[in-house]
Amino acid sequence: NIAVVGSHVVGSIPLQALLKAADHYIEKENVFLIKEQQKIRFIIDRLGLNSVSEFKPESKVIEYVLGVNRHGPLQSSTVQQFVESVGSRTSTPGGGSVSALVTALGSHSVR
């Protein structure tokens, strides 16, 4: 048997991935945490993300790096508004957002 002594995130990680992992451990360990920052600190500890090198959420979590407001213009717009904004002469939204929309639409058509 080989023991895992820590983890290291190469690149960035979506906030939702950390929060889902935290929710898993919160339920498993019967811990009561509500605030996002508490959950982030909790999962950093449980996954050993500080053991190899310091895990700084502000530089590793995609939403924090980009300063994304999770209730920003993309999330509050309709699909039609989003598609129209893709066709505009601006740099955002880009391919990643379009891919997310196509995936979401495809997953709903499969059900």
Side-chain angles (χ1 to χ4, degrees), residues 9-110:
V9 174
V10 176
S12 300
I13 186 167
L15 175 61
Q16 197 62 31
L18 287 176
L19 294 177
K20 283 186 177 186
D23 288 340
H24 168 78
Y25 281 97
I26 287 168
E27 183 178 329
K28 183 178 178 180
E29 297 178 22
N30 199 25
V31 177
F32 183 75
L33 297 173
I34 294 177
K35 293 185 178 181
E36 182 176 289
Q37 292 304 317
Q38 291 174 323
K39 289 182 176 185
I40 297 296
R41 284 193 305 271
F42 178 74
I43 199 62
I44 288 170
D45 179 64
R46 290 304 182 269
L47 296 178
L49 294 175
N50 274 329
S51 61
V52 176
S53 63
E54 185 180 4
F55 182 88
K56 297 179 183 177
E58 63 276 2
S59 64
K60 287 291 191 181
V61 177
I62 295 170
E63 290 82 353
Y64 297 166
V65 171
L66 299 177
V68 173
N69 177 353
R70 284 177 275 148
H71 302 289
L74 286 182
Q75 287 189 336
S76 60
S77 66
T78 65
V79 173
Q80 180 176 347
Q81 291 169 330
F82 173 76
V83 171
E84 289 172 355
S85 66
V86 169
S88 67
R89 294 184 171 260
T90 60
S91 58
T92 58
S97 300
V98 173
S99 295
L101 173 63
V102 171
T103 301
L105 293 173
S107 69
H108 285 288
S109 67
V110 174

